[in-house]
Amino acid sequence: MKKFILEKIEVPKGAANADLIKRLYDLGLHPGLEVEIVSKISFNSVTVIQYGSTRLALNEEEFACLHGR
Amino acid sequence: MSTWALVGSPNSGKTTLYNWLTGSKSKTVNYPGSTVEYNVGKLRAHLAERINDQEITIVDTPGVYSLTPQSEDEQVTHDVLYTQHNVDSLNGVIVVLDATQLSRHLMIAKQIVDSNYQTIFVVTMLDLIEKEGSQIQLEELKNELGPNIVLFDGILGRGLNEIVDLLPVTPANDEIFHHENWDIEKHTQVIQWAENLAAKTIVNRNEQKSAAHFTNQADKVLTHPILGLVIFFSIMTLLFASIYWAATPLMDLIDGLFSSAVAVATENIPGLFGEFVGNGFIAAIGGVVIFVPQIFILFLGIGILESTGYLARVAALIDKPLSMVGLGGRSFVPLLSGFACSIPAIMATRNITSKKERLIAQSIIPFMTCSARLPVYALLIAFLFGDENPLLAGLVMALMYFGAIVVGAIAANIISVFVNDTTKSRLIMELPLYRRPRFGYIFMQSLSKAKSFVVKAGPIIFGLALILWFATNFPRPEVVEGQEPLSAVEIAKDSYASEVGQAVEPIFRPMGVDWRVGFGLISAFAAREVFVSSLALMFNITDEDEDAAQQGLLAAMKKATFENGEPIFTVASVAGIFIFFMIALQCTSTVGILKREMGSWKPALMQLFFSNLVAYCLAVTVVFVLKSFGL
Ligand SMILES: Nc1nc2c(ncn2[C@@H]2O[C@H](COP(=O)(O)OP(=O)(O)OP(=O)(O)O)[C@@H](O)[C@H]2O)c(=O)[nH]1
Ligand SMILES: [Mg+2]
């Protein structure tokens, strides 16, 4: 299972979706956080991530906002 | 008098606490976003005794991730907090925090504190914390949030009295501040504050014993990319088929009971009235009651799935397939609840963020096999396959459910052409910890649903029985002396019902049925399940064979013929009725809810018109084609 440190949360290529970014923060995601990729499901389009005690399923567009190392 | 609103993140235990405080039986579900409308209740009398019988009102609200709403359900909570035209002005807010998700839930706590409301903090899921052997350092929380903090166990209700004792505090603050959108810096700051506070509060966790450990293990199987889908389809097939399989013994029992009741009534109550009570009313009620076991099993199955936390996983698993018809994973739970009843299901679309997806989901929910369609399908399947092959009959039942999804998908494709909104569907689905279903609770909920099904249909059936009985028995022909009195069948032939029936028969003839079934189809617009009752009534009263009335509906259907002696119920005509019920929008309450949730009459009425038109045309086509194959 892959772990990474979140560096920034941003919509790729500057497409504006402020609400989405805000919602990811509302769920406790923030730069510096360690995030684990648990699995890729739904024909590889949904990513399940785990951070702290939270388990979250994100679709492609949402997961693409998480940039990390 | 004072009013408190329960506010917190989704799935934190608000409704559970609301039920403890008010004695309501609102539905609690292990899925983030189960409550979509606010509910108001009074503090239970025996709790109010603790605080000198003060009158306290409690408001349950939908869960929110932020006080700046991004979906309709969050808007409801926002309005309860800030616009106040819905509820009496609030004295304060009970912030509900899940101890196993404390750091995230503290962010809502912070927003409520900033709003200047009086606050009580309730930390729920105490039982889970104890089970994993953690300690809660309440002092740490109190240092940051103030003294009004209570630990609560939603399973046993421990902590309830302490919460009640805090309710009659000082009067409301006058000045309430709206939540300002935090910028990224501030947001990060708050998250870090919450993480630190949570880490200081919940200490000595034993990872192995925690509920999270079990959840992670179970998810390896249940959300496996391939196995997960296989398991999901197996579970659904099993559920739908067992609606047929598991209910049969109970249904036979009910059938037997009603048949004897009919016999007792007709033998002991003299004359026309006895006929009405027995073959009319009791038989008609029996026609619906017999399906109660199936409905009970359906609710039981859905209830168990809901309470485990599995549904959020399914939503994620089938996000991609659903996105092909303009929907997304978030539509899954509303669609599934459409199998119980469209009305709550359409409301449940409130937690779908994307407008386009919400509109499509709302429009296709009425095609799902709601519990009122179940009796109709079950009757028709029993007619076609029941005797020879009950195993197959169960699978056909499952097929009907999947068929509804296909119809929905086709409709979704058509509708999405008309919706010009390009926003992508939002998933962001929190996967909650798995929980053991509370069987007792689910059993009682399913029972009360099954009961209300009968209670709802009862008066309609009674009214219908009365009308049909009158219409088929009058006008009474004069009895000529020295001549045999006319039989019921002969009376029916010249009755009002027959007159009207013959007039409308041309509409139904293309569907391969006569006016009596046509009456059934029309009566289904009062409530779908009434179709079976009116068939029972019609064939009881008009059957040539006096004994047939006692033999139940299936036997009557097998014998029913047109005037020229051809059978009415053939593969073709039964398929036509199936198609009609799959597509037609017969439920007026659904139209009302569609109007409310879509915001205007136009789409709701269009849906009413087109669904029924398409249903009729398609049924006629299918009957025509099948007939030409000699079926
Ligand atoms: N073990 C345990 N489970 C609880 C407790 N409180 C609630 N639950 C369960 O947690 C789940 C969510 O509870 P709800 O009361 O529906 O949560 P809610 O805050 O109303 O959720 P939304 O309406 O979706 O915002 C349900 O499965 C409850 O049975 C508790 O104290 N302990
Ligand atoms: Mg709730």
Side-chain angles (χ1 to χ4, degrees), chain B residues 157-175:
Chain B
R158 278 181 299 156
L160 194 61
N161 289 342
E162 286 94 311
I163 299 172
V164 172
D165 291 344
L166 289 173
L167 294 177
V169 283
T170 42
N173 282 336
D174 289 337
E175 205 175 356

Side-chain angles (χ1 to χ4, degrees), chain B residues 367 373 407 578-585 611-612 614-615 618:
Chain B
F367 297 119
R373 281 183 173 108
V407 171
F578 259 134
I579 300 276
F580 186 78
F581 271 92
M582 278 181 96
I583 299 171
L585 179 44
S611 299
N612 292 324
V614 170
L618 215 59

Side-chain angles (χ1 to χ4, degrees), chain A residues 1 19-31 33 39-43 45-46 48 50-51 53-62, chain B residues 65-66 68 70 74 100-101 104 107 181 184 187-188 191-192 195 216 219 223 225 229 316-321 424-431:
Chain A
M1 263 172 252
D19 276 358
L20 176 56
I21 300 302
K22 194 182 163 307
R23 188 42 47 104
L24 293 169
Y25 275 95
D26 288 336
L27 282 151
L29 290 158
H30 65 90
L33 185 72
S39 58
K40 286 264 185 193
I41 57 174
S42 201
F43 307 96
S45 75
V46 170
V48 180
Q50 172 95 32
Y51 53 99
S53 48
T54 303
R55 195 159 261 228
L56 209 58
L58 300 173
N59 68 20
E60 271 164 341
E61 193 197 13
E62 293 149 5
Chain B
Y65 287 114
S66 157
T68 309
Q70 291 201 3
E74 292 189 331
T100 66
Q101 305 287 332
R104 235 160 15 85
M107 281 193 278
N181 255 334
I184 287 186
H187 219 142
T188 310
I191 297 173
Q192 274 159 353
E195 280 177 355
N216 295 352
D219 266 350
T223 67
L229 287 173
L317 273 172
I318 62 169
D319 181 63
K320 181 78 182 184
K424 293 237 177 64
S425 284
R426 173 93 63 86
L427 179 64
I428 311 194
M429 178 64 71
E430 208 187 323
L431 307 183

Side-chain angles (χ1 to χ4, degrees), chain B residues 188-203:
Chain B
T188 310
Q189 220 179 345
V190 175
I191 297 173
Q192 274 159 353
W193 163 81
E195 280 177 355
N196 287 334
L197 182 54
K200 280 192 284 185
T201 306
I202 312 259
V203 294

Side-chain angles (χ1 to χ4, degrees), chain B residues 11-16 27-29 31 33-36 60-63:
Chain B
N11 217 32
S12 55
K14 297 175 293 299
T15 304
T16 305
K27 196 164 145 183
T28 64
V29 172
Y31 177 82
S34 53
T35 308
V36 292
D60 186 23
T61 66

Side-chain angles (χ1 to χ4, degrees), chain B residues 139-329:
Chain B
E139 285 313 307
E140 297 285 349
L141 268 187
K142 287 188 174 170
N143 286 341
E144 292 284 334
L145 298 174
N148 295 342
I149 304 180
V150 182
L151 299 177
F152 182 66
D153 168 355
I155 303 290
L156 298 174
R158 278 181 299 156
L160 194 61
N161 289 342
E162 286 94 311
I163 299 172
V164 172
D165 291 344
L166 289 173
L167 294 177
V169 283
T170 42
N173 282 336
D174 289 337
E175 205 175 356
I176 298 301
F177 306 115
H178 276 238
H179 171 60
E180 301 268 341
N181 255 334
W182 290 329
D183 61 21
I184 287 186
E185 203 176 317
K186 169 79 179 168
H187 219 142
T188 310
Q189 220 179 345
V190 175
I191 297 173
Q192 274 159 353
W193 163 81
E195 280 177 355
N196 287 334
L197 182 54
K200 280 192 284 185
T201 306
I202 312 259
V203 294
N204 297 335
R205 285 188 71 210
N206 181 342
E207 198 61 52
Q208 289 298 314
K209 274 197 206 159
S210 75
H213 182 71
F214 173 75
T215 295
N216 295 352
Q217 296 305 318
D219 266 350
K220 282 190 184 138
V221 182
L222 294 177
T223 67
H224 185 276
I226 296 154
L227 195 58
L229 287 173
V230 174
I231 293 175
F232 167 60
F233 277 107
S234 313
I235 291 179
M236 290 328 253
T237 310
L238 193 70
L239 170 62
F240 298 142
S242 59
I243 288 174
Y244 198 95
W245 293 334
T248 313
L250 262 176
M251 290 173 74
D252 290 342
L253 187 77
I254 296 177
D255 197 23
L257 284 178
F258 271 92
S259 304
S260 4
V262 169
V264 169
T266 40
E267 277 158 28
N268 293 311
I269 309 174
L272 263 185
F273 184 64
E275 276 287 307
F276 168 70
V277 173
N279 284 331
F281 185 59
I282 297 180
I285 292 287
V288 160
V289 170
I290 190 167
F291 295 103
V292 164
Q294 295 192 329
I295 284 158
F296 175 75
I297 289 170
L298 173 77
F299 282 119
L300 200 66
I302 294 181
I304 291 171
L305 287 178
E306 279 175 338
S307 65
T308 54
Y310 180 57
L311 296 187
R313 272 83 185 171
V314 178
L317 273 172
I318 62 169
D319 181 63
K320 181 78 182 184
L322 285 177
S323 73
M324 289 175 195
V325 290
L327 297 168

